[in-house]
Amino acid sequence: MMKNRILSGARVVIAMLGGCGLTVAHAQTAPVPAPAQSAVQTIPGMPPVIDPHNIYSETRPSNIAPEVAKDLPRIYVPNLRSADVSVIDPATMTVVDRFPVGKSPQHVVPSWDLRTLWVTNNAEGTTNGSLTPIDPRTGKPGQAIPVDDPYNMYFTPDGKEAIVVAEARKRLDFRDPHTMELHTSVETPECKGVNHAEFSIDGRYAIFTCEFGGMLAKVDTVNHKLIGYLKLTGGGMPQDILASPDAKTFYVADMHADGVFTVDGDTFTQTGFIHTGVGTHGIYPSRDGKFMYVANRGSHKIHGPPHSKDGNVSVIDFATNQVVKTWPIPGGGSPDMGNVSADGKLLWLSGRFDDVVYAIDTDTGAMKIIPVGAEPHGLTVWPQPGRYSIGHTGILR
């Protein structure tokens, strides 16, 4: 009986391989390989970690899902003050569409299943916040869903819940990832200005930055509990946060410290600091997982000034934690947040105080500057390679 089961399984594999043009004669006696076992014990329902040394291994250019590959190639730019989204065609480097959304759109967030792009309209902390869905196949918005104070949004790595970051409320709202119905909330009373997050390699916890508290908050994402806080030494305004390829180190951009703090996520301790530039803000990994791009906004102020001569982008080598390149913005600028193109050749960043978007060559640092709406913020690049999104401007794994 066991022999018959093995032969039956082999025939299924042969049928599948025959469609790929492989020689059936050679496939008939080949053993059926056992599924690869991940060395990381993830939470139930979370896709396995393919390479524990590089959590970004599945976001290389060749790993675009078939359905995602059919989506329009576009850059979606939420404009905070003009309350709309500018849509850029990367082929022509021009704005090809612009549509209104809710008040104070902050980020465009790809859903866990990569089929919806959500605009987080937090209405400056009022009860009039909303989430506007964008269909990435057509590039058009749908009907907004009322949601309280959605400054930013993430998804648990198992895809079961969206986490709406209610910044003004100092609260994390765990919601249905499709309907946005509220499941439960986690209060973070000491985390003033809670906004950006990164997850552990196994999906069991996330670390959130507290912009106006100079600290971090660690949250149990399975049991929906606050674990504790970490005050950053010498920090003042932590912003974006990103995990190293092996997920052992969390990098925290601090706009007042002018650099990136390193933190051990498991022990929740500060381990170092890397100076980058004035107003350190957004952090994004390269497609090969070797470097991270750090946007230095050029100012310690929340609302300006434009054309800062200190605005630039730092490139940090993950292996050495050293800045290996610095790209200044010609004429001054305010690089804020964004993402990397699917092929890894362009870094797209909003110019927050200059009402522009920068398309930066990741080899030379040369850039194209594209005018958009008023005060662009967390833009996303689409499509992107990867299996699922954990949120923000499209951090995929």
Side-chain angles (χ1 to χ4, degrees), residues 56-197:
Y56 307 114
S57 65
E58 305 312 292
T59 66
R60 296 179 185 275
S62 59
N63 290 343
I64 294 183
E67 283 303 305
V68 174
K70 299 176 185 177
D71 294 341
L72 285 173
R74 295 290 186 264
I75 316 299
Y76 296 92
V77 188
N79 301 304
L80 182 65
R81 283 189 292 109
S82 54
D84 55 20
V85 171
S86 297
V87 184
I88 298 173
D89 182 343
T92 62
M93 296 283 186
T94 58
V95 174
V96 294
D97 195 8
R98 188 168 170 176
F99 50 79
V101 289
K103 186 178 180 182
S104 303
Q106 301 282 0
H107 302 89
V108 177
V109 181
S111 62
W112 185 90
D113 62 8
L114 312 182
R115 301 317 309 138
T116 305
L117 305 176
W118 294 98
V119 187
T120 62
N121 313 300
N122 82 322
E124 298 178 345
T126 73
T127 56
N128 297 319
S130 64
L131 295 170
T132 301
I134 299 174
D135 182 347
R137 187 62 50 83
T138 65
K140 298 299 182 182
Q143 184 66 42
I145 299 175
V147 171
D148 186 24
D149 191 26
Y151 173 81
N152 207 345
M153 186 161 68
Y154 291 84
F155 295 89
T156 54
D158 58 8
K160 294 179 180 178
E161 292 180 302
I163 306 176
V164 169
V165 182
E167 181 185 42
R169 310 283 184 255
K170 293 183 281 189
R171 191 184 70 213
L172 305 172
D173 291 338
F174 288 74
R175 295 177 175 271
D176 181 282
H178 305 290
T179 67
M180 296 301 158
E181 179 183 358
L182 182 65
H183 289 172
T184 189
S185 296
V186 174
E187 302 288 341
T188 58
E190 302 301 316
C191 189
K192 299 176 182 178
V194 58
N195 52 30
H196 300 96

Side-chain angles (χ1 to χ4, degrees), residues 15 21 111 138 148 172 222 246 285 301 312 369 378:
S111 62
T138 65
D148 186 24
L172 305 172
V222 177
D246 62 8
K301 297 181 179 180
N312 60 41
I369 300 177

Side-chain angles (χ1 to χ4, degrees), residues 35-63:
Q37 297 296 315
S38 173
V40 179
Q41 297 301 309
T42 60
I43 59 176
M46 175 179 165
V49 177
I50 304 300
D51 181 358
H53 301 292
N54 183 13
I55 59 175
Y56 307 114
S57 65
E58 305 312 292
T59 66
R60 296 179 185 275
S62 59
N63 290 343

